[in-house]
Amino acid sequence: MKTAIIYHSHSGITKNVIQKIHDEISADIIEVTPIHPYSSLMVIPKGCYRALRGLHDSVLPEKIDVSAYDLLIIASPVWAGKPTPVINGGIEGLTGCQGKHAFVLLTCKSTESGEQALISMVERLKAKGISISGTVVLDQAGSIEIETIQTVIRDISSL
Ligand SMILES: Cc1cc2nc3c(=O)[nH]c(=O)nc-3n(C[C@H](O)[C@H](O)[C@H](O)COP(=O)(O)O)c2cc1C
């Protein structure tokens, strides 16, 4: 099974989880980054404003062709109870995704907020023709607990 991990991470928590998954799962890894990065001053007002409205940022890579992959692992932090405008930009640029399967991973401070963001993320992926094979929301503790991450790895491996 050919797997691609596509993720955004602003402050490194999601990236750290993804690296642990990538250590155990054979996959291509693609980090989505904003063309205009958020400064520490603007990330809350501008990032939350854009996330709340479901906007998508201009990102690199601009397009990601996933036609060669069987499974996509899509990961993002939660901003204002929503997926980030950066991962929205990454999803917007996916091509060849009709009929593909995705495992969605979100990191956040509060699980409740993460579960809310998951709804938007799943809708966005489904609109691209992607089926959801599994999801996980990791709060601050879960994002660094090795046992929790091992469980996520087992869940992904069983797909
Ligand atoms: C702009 C901004 C908005 C955030 N909004 C939320 C939120 O609504 N709910 C929540 O649980 N965490 C929120 N967080 C916390 C992040 O989702 C959490 O720390 C995440 O794990 C960070 O991942 P990263 O280090 O990969 O960027 C927010 C963080 C930032 C920077």
Side-chain angles (χ1 to χ4, degrees):
M1 176 147 80
K2 204 162 152 46
T3 303
I5 303 173
I6 298 164
Y7 76 98
H8 167 231
S9 182
H10 177 71
S11 59
I13 294 171
T14 314
K15 185 176 196 150
N16 190 45
V17 174
I18 286 305
Q19 276 168 348
K20 290 197 169 66
I21 294 173
H22 192 226
D23 287 346
E24 306 277 335
I25 287 176
S26 164
D28 291 338
I29 188 159
I30 302 152
E31 181 173 7
V32 178
T33 57
I35 288 180
H36 305 292
Y38 288 90
S39 66
S40 52
L41 193 67
M42 290 308 289
V43 67
I44 296 282
K46 189 175 172 197
C48 288
Y49 175 91
R50 293 183 62 74
L52 267 174
R53 279 154 190 77
L55 300 175
H56 55 88
D57 288 351
S58 300
V59 295
L60 292 174
E62 267 178 54
K63 298 274 174 209
I64 305 171
D65 179 7
V66 295
S67 53
Y69 297 101
D70 305 298
L71 177 68
L72 312 174
I73 299 169
I74 312 225
S76 171
V78 171
W79 286 0
K82 300 280 181 186
T84 67
V86 183
I87 200 66
N88 291 346
I91 294 169
E92 186 74 15
L94 294 180
T95 62
C97 42
Q98 197 66 36
K100 299 293 172 189
H101 296 267
F103 184 95
V104 179
L105 182 154
L106 295 176
T107 74
C108 54
K109 283 218 165 86
S110 112
T111 311
E112 201 183 357
S113 185
E115 295 291 351
Q116 192 191 332
L118 195 54
I119 297 168
S120 313
M121 185 85 153
V122 164
E123 273 174 12
R124 199 170 277 272
L125 290 168
K126 284 187 175 167
K128 296 285 287 191
I130 298 172
S131 311
I132 308 303
S133 298
T135 62
V136 68
V137 171
L138 298 176
D139 64 8
Q140 248 176 335
S143 298
I144 52 169
E145 265 165 19
I146 197 66
E147 298 79 12
T148 305
I149 297 171
Q150 286 298 341
T151 304
V152 174
I153 292 168
R154 274 196 299 277
D155 288 350
I156 294 170
S157 302
S158 72
L159 294 174

